Amino acid sequence: MTALTPLVPHLKALHVAMLLLWCGGLFALPLMLARHDPAIGQADYARIRRATHYTYTFCITPAAVLAIASGTGLVFLREVFVTWMFAKLVFVASLVTFHVWIGYVLVAVAEREGAHRAPRPALPLLLLLGSVLGILTMVLAKPELGEIPMPDWLTEPRGHQLPFDVPRR
């Protein structure tokens, strides 16, 4: 991996830029969804619907994919296999879950015009803020979390045969 070490600053810059775009979009979309109200008129409703759809599809989702891919590359290039990183990945999983939920709400709003209720943005934004602050805490403080308690059956070899053949070199 030493040949790829010069790529680390570029990969890190890509990762941070995509995270900013992804998280910024995740903060903006609940506010945009709150504007989905068929009572505002069909033209305005269609404009807001297109804006949320295109933002999610062409901006935020590609940023999420690039942020996760570059972050995964950084984990392996820097060999950061420590407890705080695994805790950070739990918060990243919550970002992904939030991303999927926003997509679900966008589809529900689009398919049920007039019969939908876009969620109020306060609670989703607080949950998102908690996830982002958790990620920032793990990355910036790098707390010593010790070992995560695991059951013995996960930490000790069992001596059983694998359910598939392992290729020999």
Side-chain angles (χ1 to χ4, degrees), residues 75 80-91 145 148:
V75 167
V80 186
F81 302 108
V82 292
T83 308
W84 68 262
M85 177 57 74
F86 298 117
K88 175 197 169 211
L89 293 178
V90 170
F91 289 112
L145 299 176
I148 297 175

Side-chain angles (χ1 to χ4, degrees), residues 28-96:
L29 274 175
L31 297 172
M32 291 170 76
L33 283 170
R35 303 270 306 162
H36 276 89
D37 185 10
I40 63 175
Q42 187 59 35
D44 287 336
Y45 180 82
R47 182 178 48 83
I48 292 170
R49 168 68 187 113
R50 276 192 308 274
T52 55
H53 174 74
Y54 290 142
T55 300
Y56 182 83
T57 305
F58 298 118
C59 185
I60 296 171
T61 299
V65 170
L66 287 173
I68 291 170
S70 60
T72 303
L74 283 169
V75 167
F76 286 102
L77 280 175
R78 300 294 304 245
E79 297 178 358
V80 186
F81 302 108
V82 292
T83 308
W84 68 262
M85 177 57 74
F86 298 117
K88 175 197 169 211
L89 293 178
V90 170
F91 289 112
V92 171
S94 70
L95 278 184
V96 171

Side-chain angles (χ1 to χ4, degrees), residues 22 53-54 59 85 87-88 98 103 114 131 135 137 142 145 152 162 166:
W22 184 26
H53 174 74
Y54 290 142
C59 185
M85 177 57 74
K88 175 197 169 211
F98 191 83
S131 295
I135 289 171
T137 301
K142 294 179 178 58
L145 299 176
D152 290 338
L162 292 174
V166 178

